[in-house]
Amino acid sequence: MRTNQNHASAMPWWLAVTTCLFLPAVWITAAWADTTDETAGQATANTFNPTLPQHRPLKLSDPVAAAPPVDLDLVTGTIEERIERVLSVMTIEEKIGQMCQVAQFGDELGDAIKADLRAGRIGSLFYTGNAAQTREAQRIAQEESRLGLPLLTPRDVIHGFRTVFPIPLGQSASWNPELVEAACQAAAVESLEQGINWTFAPMMDVSRDARWGRIAESLGEDPVLAAELAAAMVRGYQGDDEQRGIAACAKHYVAYGLTEGGRDYNRAQVAISELHSVFLRPFEEAVRAGCATVMTGFSSINGVPPSGDTELVRKHLKERCGFEGLVVSDWGSVIEMIEHGYAQNRSEAARLAVTAGVDMEMASTTYQENLLSLIEAGALETDLIDDAVRRVLRVKFQYAMDDQRKQLSSTLEERRACALALATQSVVLLKNDSERLPLDPNKPGKIALIGPLADAARDQLGCWMLDGKAEEAVTLAAALREAIGERGQLTVAAGLESTIDQSAAGIADAVAAAKQSDVAILCVGEGWQLSGEARCRVDLNLPGNQSELVRAVTETGTPTILVVMAGRPLTIGDEAERCAAVLYAWHPGTMGGPALVNVLMGRESPSGKLPVTFPKHVGQSPLYYNCPNTGRPALAGTRALIGSGLSDFPEEQKYRSHYLDEDPFPLYPFGYGLSYTQFEYSDLELSRPAIEPGQTLAVRVRLTNVGSVAADEVAQLYVQDTYASLVRPVRELKAFRRVHLDPNESTILEFALSTDELAFFDNEAQLRLEAGEFRVGVGGDSTVPLSASFQLREATVASDRSLPK
């Protein structure tokens, strides 16, 4: 199952980090406690902690007490030999126990959980309060149970553990798989120190709707970018044959990011062709990368909840794709099939989930309560139970037991440097009129730092952050104060108490600070609690009274730089128009302040590119670049009718796909991002005018830094299939490359475009490669002209979906 082992080998930390960064020593070591602190795993105020009944002993059979240990060799032989050795001595109750994941809250293990650990009735225990508790649970399972099997001890390590990296959507803005892989490796190191051996990440749901709160956890709207970054995350978390990390989990299988209306847990309806061409692609790439586990999602997909979908889980994921790892439900998603109306009762929910291929139930207890009676009644085959247990044991032997591999390791300084590098590369420059940025680091002058996020340590860490510490985050205020020192003057004025503050009491102080300064930096956006799971919005404007704060500050006439920290794209068109420069920083994590200083002061040229399309108005949502064409697309130059002074659209624009009160185009397109230099693409060339199935086309282009600043550019290759048996997207990203060029330096970029990348799925889930014309373009964002074309001469249809092991 493990593939790409050479690529997965431990990357030298400084290989990923040396591209970039000035790293003041003060930011590496200040206020940072040893991450081996036994309380580092303590749940913070934002821990996901739904109401659960107090755990009581699982009533699978009597007696409750554990049987005497057996002399079982768990060490020698291959993993598959050890699995069969264990299976041969397991009781049916012990097998069911391996399929049960129990949530533990509080600072101590309860007597009921201890009893079930000794009886072999728990296969996985998560949300333990601290490392000591986790290790005690592991000790009981291995030393006091009959079989001595280790526990899987997962935690939501979404974008870092103690060292907090940018939210995943921010990481995606770096378009840098190597650096993203290094970040996940750093998170794995800190997780291992706390006894954690499994993370519920990466989330690779292709996400097109900015209203959805969990877009913050996603890798954006494009399946190619999401797939490549997801595979990098898997490699980073899991390590390789020489260095062991923690098991990764591909979630949420599948199309959760398509949730209707942008409301969490809502249904998704998707054509079979698009399901296979777009939404399954990142999961299949994760399987190729050796991902150990997959999590089923909450939303029903075409009327079927994934936790009960035999076609998608057992047949597609396990059989067609050859996935040999563990499938776990999401929190309560098995029992929620009753609420969906798909299962009549708890027993049927358990039967449907096991039949579909869900090997372990998270949080709810339908497996614990019903599997034994279902087996005894002949409603479930024991072969299905054995298959599930094999998969659980396979992951345990890979990640929960000591073996010949060393654990992943790194130093605190390396992890902090990686966090700084990734935060810096995730910042996207959206506007820079008159080259207002960068600021002069030698003559910074008087700076007013304004806004509720200017010195908001917890907010910059973002959502789904369980184990980082706000007091260890370096804010923009702290970093900027350190950077300008005695050479300039910094005035900090929040203006608002928080991002949702509706008052105007502090705006006068912010205006006064701006009037007395040479430049104002306005730090606005969303607090951490406004994005993430179940944090969906119907309004994408700046919340609270932040728009009024922006208006008041910009009306002083002081040149203003807008810095936005948020978990989603926001409709900031009016605010951006008022400001001289705009930086989008997402929620940048522990090193967010120094990263922003790197960009503001010109230590690094901004190189981030948008992983999602930014709408002008929430009414455009969902808005994404690779939409299918329509027979009446909006014409370039179409503008809103209302407010134009016209009585109707011009004749040629009337019956087109547009709105009356806003134009149909994005505020900023997918892939967009400016730099402190200028890049020029020229001499686009194709290696041949036509190709046949199985051949590869070389696409070459010259990239030149025509400016005066050394910088990185993310070159993007887009393709359009101009004619097919199904309506195809207007364009699709096929490849990208991050390139560093000095001033006046030029290089030839070559992309290999195989015919496999031109294929698509029809509504019978058949993979089709159809003859015809394809157009190609390479540039800095998704609006690049598709100025070259080639022919594919033959067509094929292939139904084989197996993935290489």
Side-chain angles (χ1 to χ4, degrees):
M1 190 61 220
R2 302 284 307 187
T3 59
N4 298 328
Q5 296 296 353
N6 291 334
H7 190 65
S9 60
M11 167 191 320
W13 282 87
W14 298 104
L15 178 63
V17 177
T18 51
T19 57
C20 29
L21 298 162
F22 173 87
L23 180 60
V26 64
W27 303 126
I28 299 180
T29 57
W32 188 268
D34 187 349
T35 58
T36 59
D37 179 0
E38 291 290 299
T39 64
Q42 195 82 34
T44 56
N46 61 312
T47 297
F48 176 57
N49 189 359
T51 302
L52 281 179
Q54 182 67 29
H55 180 82
R56 50 189 188 275
L58 311 183
K59 298 183 182 302
L60 291 176
S61 69
D62 292 322
V64 171
V70 296
D71 186 13
L72 186 60
D73 181 4
L74 301 178
V75 178
T76 61
T78 67
I79 286 178
E80 298 307 312
E81 288 171 344
R82 283 180 274 167
I83 289 172
E84 296 308 316
R85 193 181 301 147
V86 173
L87 271 176
S88 69
V89 299
M90 293 181 87
T91 66
I92 188 62
E93 292 87 353
E94 288 169 332
K95 291 178 181 180
I96 294 171
Q98 290 300 302
M99 300 170 66
C100 298
Q101 184 178 84
V102 173
Q104 156 68 21
F105 295 105
D107 295 332
E108 295 183 3
L109 290 174
D111 291 340
I113 282 183
K114 290 179 181 179
D116 283 327
L117 289 172
R118 294 185 180 103
R121 294 173 176 171
I122 297 175
S124 175
L125 185 69
F126 78 128
Y127 278 113
T128 52
N130 53 58
Q133 185 180 3
T134 303
R135 293 188 179 110
E136 174 62 8
Q138 196 71 269
R139 185 198 65 78
I140 293 171
Q142 292 184 271
E143 296 181 9
E144 298 183 18
S145 70
R146 189 177 80 94
L147 301 177
L149 291 170
L151 292 169
L152 290 174
T153 52
R155 193 162 178 80
D156 286 284
V157 184
I158 305 301
H159 52 108
F161 189 80
R162 184 75 172 266
T163 305
V164 181
F165 292 85
I167 58 172
L169 190 61
Q171 294 184 39
S172 188
S174 75
W175 294 58
N176 189 334
E178 290 77 17
L179 195 50
V180 169
E181 180 176 337
C184 292
Q185 188 177 113
V189 169
E190 293 182 353
S191 299
L192 286 165
E193 291 173 349
Q194 299 300 313
I196 295 162
N197 55 33
W198 186 10
T199 177
F200 295 137
M203 192 184 101
M204 54 193 69
D205 298 297
V206 173
S207 305
R208 295 170 167 175
D209 196 330
R211 295 172 295 178
W212 189 43
R214 297 194 84 167
I215 196 172
E217 277 185 78
S218 82
L219 299 172
E221 72 186 47
D222 181 78
V224 170
L225 178 62
E228 188 156 342
L229 293 176
M233 288 178 161
V234 168
R235 293 190 295 267
Y237 283 126
Q238 293 189 170
D240 57 25
D241 285 340
E242 294 181 0
Q243 290 188 294
R244 174 169 57 86
I246 61 178
C249 185
K251 69 179 189 184
H252 305 83
Y253 190 81
V254 60
Y256 184 36
L258 200 59
T259 184
E260 189 174 76
R263 298 197 309 278
D264 223 340
Y265 320 120
N266 207 10
R267 73 167 189 165
Q269 295 290 113
V270 56
I272 297 301
S273 60
E274 196 171 21
L275 177 67
H276 286 263
S277 294
V278 176
F279 295 95
L280 281 167
R281 179 164 183 164
F283 292 92
E284 293 174 351
E285 198 61 38
V287 171
R288 289 188 182 94
C291 192
T293 71
V294 171
M295 182 188 294
T296 54
F298 291 114
S299 304
S300 63
I301 309 301
N302 296 339
V304 181
S307 293
D309 197 328
T310 301
E311 174 59 35
L312 275 177
V313 180
R314 188 171 297 282
K315 291 185 179 178
H316 182 73
L317 179 65
K318 291 185 172 182
E319 295 177 9
R320 296 191 193 109
C321 296
F323 178 64
E324 296 178 345
L326 158 65
V327 176
V328 62
S329 76
D330 206 338
W331 184 284
S333 67
V334 172
I335 199 170
E336 286 170 15
M337 287 194 286
I338 301 171
E339 190 72 17
H340 276 288
Y342 191 72
Q344 189 172 10
N345 51 44
R346 297 170 70 89
S347 178
E348 186 178 15
R351 181 185 62 79
L352 287 169
V354 172
T355 302
V358 177
D359 307 306
M360 181 177 282
E361 181 181 18
M362 182 192 297
S364 56
T365 57
T366 69
Y367 284 13
Q368 299 165 358
E369 298 162 358
N370 298 288
L371 291 193
L372 185 61
S373 60
L374 285 168
I375 293 166
E376 291 173 343
L380 265 183
E381 298 178 4
T382 55
D383 286 352
L384 295 181
I385 303 298
D386 286 350
D387 176 66
V389 175
R390 283 188 178 93
R391 293 169 181 275
V392 174
L393 294 176
R394 191 171 290 124
V395 177
K396 288 190 172 187
F397 284 128
Q398 288 174 324
Y399 295 100
M401 291 193 67
D402 293 333
D403 56 25
Q404 300 301 313
R405 294 179 295 171
K406 298 178 181 178
Q407 287 191 167
L408 289 172
S409 62
S410 61
T411 66
L412 173 60
E413 288 77 11
E414 289 168 339
R415 298 193 292 273
R416 298 271 277 185
C418 184
L420 176 56
L422 189 50
T424 301
Q425 292 190 13
S426 71
V427 174
V428 185
L429 178 64
L430 297 176
K431 179 181 179 181
N432 195 19
D433 282 357
S434 303
E435 298 184 347
R436 171 56 58 183
L437 289 176
L439 304 176
D440 186 343
N442 298 313
K443 298 179 180 179
K446 296 179 180 179
I447 299 175
L449 181 59
I450 297 168
L453 296 180
D455 198 20
R458 175 61 192 89
D459 286 322
Q460 78 179 40
L461 297 182
C463 63
W464 265 123
M465 190 287 298
L466 302 183
D467 300 289
K469 294 182 178 294
E471 61 268 26
E472 293 167 353
V474 186
T475 66
L476 178 55
L480 198 56
R481 189 174 290 112
E482 174 72 17
I484 65 175
E486 300 298 322
R487 297 184 304 279
Q489 178 181 321
L490 179 66
T491 302
V492 180
L496 300 168
E497 291 185 0
S498 71
T499 61
I500 59 174
D501 184 2
Q502 297 281 359
S503 74
I507 292 180
D509 290 341
V511 168
K515 287 180 176 179
Q516 298 166 11
S517 300
D518 301 313
V519 64
I521 301 174
L522 256 173
C523 202
V524 297
E526 294 181 313
W528 69 267
Q529 74 276 22
L530 295 184
S531 62
E533 184 168 356
R535 304 286 178 170
C536 306
R537 297 184 60 191
V538 297
D539 183 352
L540 296 178
N541 293 329
L542 288 171
N545 210 19
Q546 291 182 95
S547 291
E548 175 59 23
L549 175 64
V550 174
R551 185 198 62 77
V553 170
T554 54
E555 285 183 353
T556 66
T558 301
T560 302
I561 298 159
L562 189 69
V563 175
V564 184
M565 296 186 192
R568 54 164 58 83
L570 295 176
T571 48
I572 55 168
D574 290 343
E575 292 80 10
E577 188 173 350
R578 290 178 173 275
C579 297
V582 180
L583 292 171
Y584 217 86
W586 317 100
H587 287 135
T590 300
M591 300 301 290
L596 280 164
V597 167
N598 277 342
V599 174
L600 288 166
M601 294 297 181
R603 296 169 181 167
E604 290 292 321
S605 177
S607 60
K609 299 281 189 174
L610 294 181
V612 284
T613 301
F614 273 48
K616 290 185 172 117
H617 188 279
V618 68
Q620 294 174 297
S621 300
L623 187 65
Y624 51 100
Y625 87 95
N626 53 349
C627 59
N629 214 339
T630 170
R632 297 185 181 185
L635 299 179
T638 298
R639 293 293 177 260
L641 177 62
I642 296 175
S644 69
L646 301 175
S647 61
D648 204 348
F649 288 108
E651 195 65 34
E652 68 276 9
Q653 293 181 355
K654 277 187 178 180
Y655 296 102
R656 294 278 176 173
S657 181
H658 51 58
Y659 301 101
L660 288 175
D661 45 0
E662 183 59 87
D663 71 61
F665 309 115
L667 179 63
Y668 301 109
F670 173 83
Y672 178 79
L674 301 175
S675 172
Y676 291 157
T677 192
Q678 296 80 44
F679 292 99
E680 181 180 276
Y681 291 83
S682 61
D683 305 328
L684 179 63
E685 178 186 4
L686 307 184
S687 60
R688 60 183 77 181
I691 57 175
E692 297 178 359
Q695 293 183 331
T696 297
L697 180 75
V699 181
R700 302 182 188 90
V701 67
R702 179 177 293 277
L703 177 63
T704 306
N705 182 347
V706 297
S708 59
V709 176
D712 285 5
E713 168 70 339
V714 178
Q716 303 160 43
L717 169 67
Y718 292 90
V719 171
Q720 181 191 29
D721 185 350
T722 63
Y723 170 79
S725 59
L726 287 178
V727 175
R728 305 290 295 125
V730 294
R731 61 183 61 208
E732 297 176 284
L733 179 72
K734 294 299 181 183
F736 60 91
R737 188 168 306 155
R738 175 178 277 270
V739 183
H740 182 84
L741 292 177
D742 291 327
N744 300 314
E745 184 181 1
S746 181
T747 188
I748 300 294
L749 300 180
E750 183 169 305
F751 297 91
L753 185 62
S754 73
T755 54
D756 288 347
E757 295 170 274
L758 306 177
F760 63 93
F761 290 94
D762 62 21
N763 281 316
E764 301 296 325
Q766 298 287 311
L767 187 62
R768 305 185 70 89
L769 182 62
E770 297 185 348
E773 181 191 35
F774 291 81
R775 294 176 184 156
V776 183
V778 180
D781 64 55
S782 58
T783 65
V784 57
L786 304 179
S787 56
S789 64
F790 67 93
Q791 294 287 327
L792 179 64
R793 285 186 174 146
E794 296 181 15
T796 62
V797 178
S799 59
D800 183 12
R801 297 297 304 283
S802 338
L803 300 179
K805 295 183 181 179

